[in-house]
Amino acid sequence: MSGKMNYLEELEKSMLWLAEKNDTIFLGQGIKCGGIGMAETFKKIQPEKVFEMPIAENLQLGMCTGLSLNGFVPISVYPRWNFLLLAADQLVNHLDKLSIMSDGAYKPKVIIRVAVGVREPIDPQEQHVGDFSDGFAAMLKTVNVVKLTVAEEIFPAYKYAYERTDGVSTILVEQHQA
Amino acid sequence: MDTGLTKEQLHQFELEIVELFKNNQISSPIHLRSGNEEKLIDLFKSISQEDYCLFTWASHLECLLKGVPSEEVKAAILRNKSIALCFKDQKIISSAIVGGNAPIAVGLAMSIKLKKETNHVWCFIGDMAFYTGIVQEAIRYSEVHDLPITFVVADNKISILTPTREFWGNYIVDAAKKSSKCIYYEYKNGFPHVGIGGKAML
C-alpha cells in the first residue's frame, strides 16, 4: 500500500533518519516556521539542525553547495518544482558543474527535496503544479534526479542519497498523487 | 599571506598568457586584469592560507596571490580552465557566472560559523555583479547573520563593454562602503576587451 499517510510517514521517517546524522543540516522556507505541507515532516527534528530561510531559492541552493564543501550534507527543501526553477543557476551552473570544473577536486553532495503540486483536494493552479524532472534530468551532467512515486521508494532513496560516497548530489522529487 | 609577488611579476604573468593566447596555445576565452595589482597585493596580506577565496572569471592574479604556483595556474589555463579556476589545496573556487560565487561563499561562511572554525571567506565580485539580486541577497544575509565573510568589490566601472553606471547609477560607492561585509576599491583595467584571432579576450 502506498496511501497518503504512508507516503507522508515515509518522508517523515527519512527526514528523522537524516537528522540523526552529525553532518546533516536542513534549509528551506517554511520548514521551521510552518505554512507548507512539508513542514509536518520536520517537526520532530532537533531545531538547531533546521534553518528557516527567506524566499531566496538560488541563494539557498548555493549556500548548500558551500556548506557541503566544508563537511556538511545539506538537505535543501523546495515545496514546489516551480520554486526550484528559481535556483536553476546554482543547480545547473554550479552544483552540477563544480566537480567538472575542478577536475574532481570538489564534489559537493547536496540532497534536494522538492515536490510536484497535486491537483486534489484543491487545485494550486498552473504555477504550482509543474514537474520539470525529466527536463532537468536531461540538462544535468552529474546531479541525479530520482522520482518518488510510491511510498516504498522514499526511505531507500534518501538513504542512498546520503550514504553514497561518490560525491554526487541528488534531487528527490515527490510525485505522490493524492 | 604574503607570497612576495610584486606588481611587475603579476603583470608579467598576464603578458605571458597573452603570448600563449596569441600563439593559439589556449583555445578558450581568457580574462586578464591589470591596474589592480597593488590593491590585491595589499589585500592578500589580510588573507590567510586557511581562508576560502571565491573568485570570478578573471582570477589569474588572485590565484597567484593565494599561493598557487605560477606553473600550476598556467597549466590550468592551458587546459582551458581560465574562467573557472579551482584549486582545492589553496581553498579556491571560481565561477564564470556573474554573482554565482556569492551564495556558495555564504554557505562556506555559514559552515565556518556553525563549526566554530576561525578561518574566513573572501568573495570577489565586480561592479556589475554587485548590483545583481543574488549578490545583494548574499551580502544582506551575511550582514544579518554576521557570517565570517568579506565581499571584495572591485569597481572598474564596466562590464564587458557596458558602462555600469549608465544603468545602475552611482549607488555602489555608498552601498559597498557602508556594508560591514564589503571592501570596495576602484581601478582601471589595463587590458581592453578585444578579440584575437576571432576569440574574445578581456
Side-chain angles (χ1 to χ4, degrees), chain A residues 130-147:
Chain A
D131 183 355
F132 309 103
S133 303
D134 292 339
F136 272 80
M139 291 161 63
L140 296 166
K141 292 186 174 178
T142 69
V143 175
N144 282 185
V145 180
V146 177
K147 299 176 185 177

Side-chain angles (χ1 to χ4, degrees), chain A residues 115-173:
Chain A
V116 176
V118 295
R119 297 276 190 185
E120 299 288 341
I122 56 171
D123 186 352
Q125 303 175 49
E126 286 309 313
Q127 290 175 313
H128 284 57
V129 295
D131 183 355
F132 309 103
S133 303
D134 292 339
F136 272 80
M139 291 161 63
L140 296 166
K141 292 186 174 178
T142 69
V143 175
N144 282 185
V145 180
V146 177
K147 299 176 185 177
L148 304 173
T149 54
V150 294
E152 288 76 10
E153 295 171 327
I154 295 172
F155 183 74
Y158 274 104
K159 189 168 185 288
Y160 180 66
Y162 174 80
E163 290 182 338
R164 64 189 308 165
T165 56
D166 53 8
V168 169
S169 294
T170 311
I171 303 174
L172 296 116
V173 186

Side-chain angles (χ1 to χ4, degrees), chain B residues 177-198:
Chain B
K177 285 182 178 174
K178 276 181 189 168
S179 171
S180 61
K181 298 297 179 188
C182 291
I183 289 175
Y184 172 87
Y185 73 88
E186 296 179 6
Y187 76 105
K188 181 174 172 55
N189 188 11
F191 289 105
H193 187 87
V194 295
I196 294 178

Side-chain angles (χ1 to χ4, degrees), chain A residues 103, chain B residues 13 17 20 25-26 68-82 85 87:
Chain A
D103 295 323
Chain B
F13 181 86
I17 300 303
L20 291 170
Q25 289 176 261
I26 301 168
V68 185
S70 61
E71 288 309 311
E72 277 189 41
V73 179
K74 196 182 296 181
I77 295 168
L78 288 167
R79 295 199 312 275
N80 293 336
K81 299 281 186 181
S82 170
L85 292 168
F87 297 98

Side-chain angles (χ1 to χ4, degrees), chain B residues 83-127:
Chain B
I83 64 171
L85 292 168
C86 294
F87 297 98
K88 191 176 182 183
D89 288 348
Q90 288 80 15
K91 296 182 182 293
I92 291 171
I93 300 150
S94 303
S95 173
I97 303 295
V98 174
N101 57 358
I104 300 171
V106 175
L108 280 163
M110 184 178 179
S111 74
I112 288 169
K113 187 172 181 177
L114 290 171
K115 293 170 106 174
K116 297 183 170 52
E117 295 172 340
T118 56
N119 51 341
H120 195 81
V121 180
W122 301 82
C123 182
F124 290 67
I125 57 172
D127 43 296

Side-chain angles (χ1 to χ4, degrees), chain B residues 4 14 18 23 48 50 77 92 107-108 117 119 123 125 136 138 140 143-144 149-150 171-172 183 195:
Chain B
E14 293 288 59
V18 169
N23 294 332
S48 81
E50 292 308 306
I77 295 168
I92 291 171
L108 280 163
E117 295 172 340
N119 51 341
C123 182
I125 57 172
Q136 288 298 307
R140 186 72 186 141
E143 288 173 344
V144 170
I149 186 171
T150 301
Y171 170 78
I172 188 172
I183 289 175

Side-chain angles (χ1 to χ4, degrees), chain A residues 34-173:
Chain A
I36 60 169
M38 288 177 168
E40 292 296 316
T41 62
F42 299 100
K43 274 191 171 172
K44 293 177 185 167
I45 297 175
Q46 53 272 44
E48 63 271 19
K49 295 196 77 131
V50 183
F51 286 80
E52 182 76 8
M53 288 294 296
I55 298 176
E57 294 86 353
N58 205 31
L59 175 70
Q60 178 181 310
L61 189 52
M63 285 174 63
C64 288
T65 299
L67 283 158
S68 73
L69 294 173
N70 194 25
F72 285 94
V73 180
I75 296 94
S76 195
V77 181
Y78 299 90
R80 295 282 186 265
W81 237 124
N82 300 79
F83 306 165
L84 180 53
L85 283 182
L86 293 160
D89 167 52
Q90 283 300 320
L91 175 57
V92 178
N93 289 325
H94 293 88
L95 180 61
D96 188 56
K97 300 300 182 297
L98 256 180
S99 62
I100 300 170
M101 288 155 55
S102 65
D103 295 323
Y106 290 117
K107 290 184 175 177
K109 186 170 79 172
V110 176
I111 296 172
I112 299 170
R113 179 180 168 185
V114 64
V116 176
V118 295
R119 297 276 190 185
E120 299 288 341
I122 56 171
D123 186 352
Q125 303 175 49
E126 286 309 313
Q127 290 175 313
H128 284 57
V129 295
D131 183 355
F132 309 103
S133 303
D134 292 339
F136 272 80
M139 291 161 63
L140 296 166
K141 292 186 174 178
T142 69
V143 175
N144 282 185
V145 180
V146 177
K147 299 176 185 177
L148 304 173
T149 54
V150 294
E152 288 76 10
E153 295 171 327
I154 295 172
F155 183 74
Y158 274 104
K159 189 168 185 288
Y160 180 66
Y162 174 80
E163 290 182 338
R164 64 189 308 165
T165 56
D166 53 8
V168 169
S169 294
T170 311
I171 303 174
L172 296 116
V173 186

Side-chain angles (χ1 to χ4, degrees), chain B residues 127-128 156-168:
Chain B
D127 43 296
M128 191 65 96
N156 68 353
K157 303 183 174 63
I158 197 161
S159 170
I160 307 180
L161 297 175
T162 305
T164 307
R165 279 166 170 72
E166 265 189 35
F167 302 92
W168 295 120

